[in-house]
Amino acid sequence: MNRVALSLAGAGAAACLGLGFLSLAPNRLLSGRAVALWDAAGPAPTAAIVVLLALLAASAFAAPSRVQVGLATALLLAAFAAAGAGARDLAGGASGLARVALGAGFWVLAGAAALAVVDGVQRAGGGLGAPLAAAAAVVAGLAAMAAAGWFDALSLMREYHTREAAFAAALGRHIVLVAGSVGPALLIGVPLGLAAARRPRLGGTIFPALNLLQTIPSLALFGLLIAPLTALGLGGIGLAPALIALTLYALLPVARSTAAGIAAIDPAVTDAARGMGMTARQILWRVEVPLAVPVLIAGLRIVTVQAIGLAVVAALIGAGGLGSFVFEGLGQNAADLVLLGALPAIGLALAADLALQGVAELAR
């Protein structure tokens, strides 16, 4: 019996019964009242969700993991479809200033469905086929519903439509922050990791220094960079300090994964290469680096996801990015504006992690 799937199905059912699925507020600043799933979406979507929850619970006893993935994916899409339909009905009977937000019941149900997808994918195994199929189904379904205007009544989408141009610019800046920090971190961190693997005494100096950088809070590091960068004429706020700070934070995972990948190589392999007459440079690039690539990519996954999250905080020093919506929403007490910045950042992190996981599979 799959206790995880059974527990997640139970959590989803409890959320539908005991928590508000949507929230209806008189405007974007005031708190709204909770609206239950059956009151918001009506009988048909509610019945579909109940049936899918029952099937997901039943799949925990006998069905293959791929069946669980399919049911959980369908449940996730059904939750979004019910939210869109419920928001449209609620907004149609309210004033123009009213806002319909996603409630706690929706988030618990959607979270349980997403975790059930992940659990099913892990149990199914078989490489990237199952996760890619599930991700493609979710993305295609959500894109189709969004293109049809299914979510337009949700306050989150209303925030997006009023800031569409700014959102595109913020998303582009966020990607620039991540790419502009991960790239230099690879150029600096890989040689540091190689040096630490070659000379353990040098590694005893490199890694404590990089560990110390990790202990500095992000806001404190941004603040520490203001004075030296201002003295150099680069400006203490904006893009430059954000890129430098994000690069410094990314050095430790890159260097650690590089050193670990080199250290994990069987000495007999390098001895055989040396016996074939290879030089130290040839052994490095033709033997050690290819064998260490899977471990290095695993470190790169950590670095990229970390950089996407930390880039949100960089908005506090004028670097822009998706964090600008998060902090603007916090200042205005507008939860949907916070989500406008947070949800795309989460999506970027998941997409980057899945893409690098695919690269790692190909490198093996």
Side-chain angles (χ1 to χ4, degrees), residues 73-103:
T73 301
L75 178 61
L76 182 59
L77 291 174
F80 275 97
R88 183 183 56 207
D89 292 341
L90 290 174
S95 68
L97 295 177
R99 293 291 188 269
V100 182
L102 300 169

Side-chain angles (χ1 to χ4, degrees), residues 107 174 305 308-309 312 322 339 341-353:
W107 291 115
H174 206 91
V305 172
I308 291 172
V312 173
L322 295 170
L339 291 175
L343 292 180
I346 295 171
L348 279 178
L350 292 175
D353 184 71

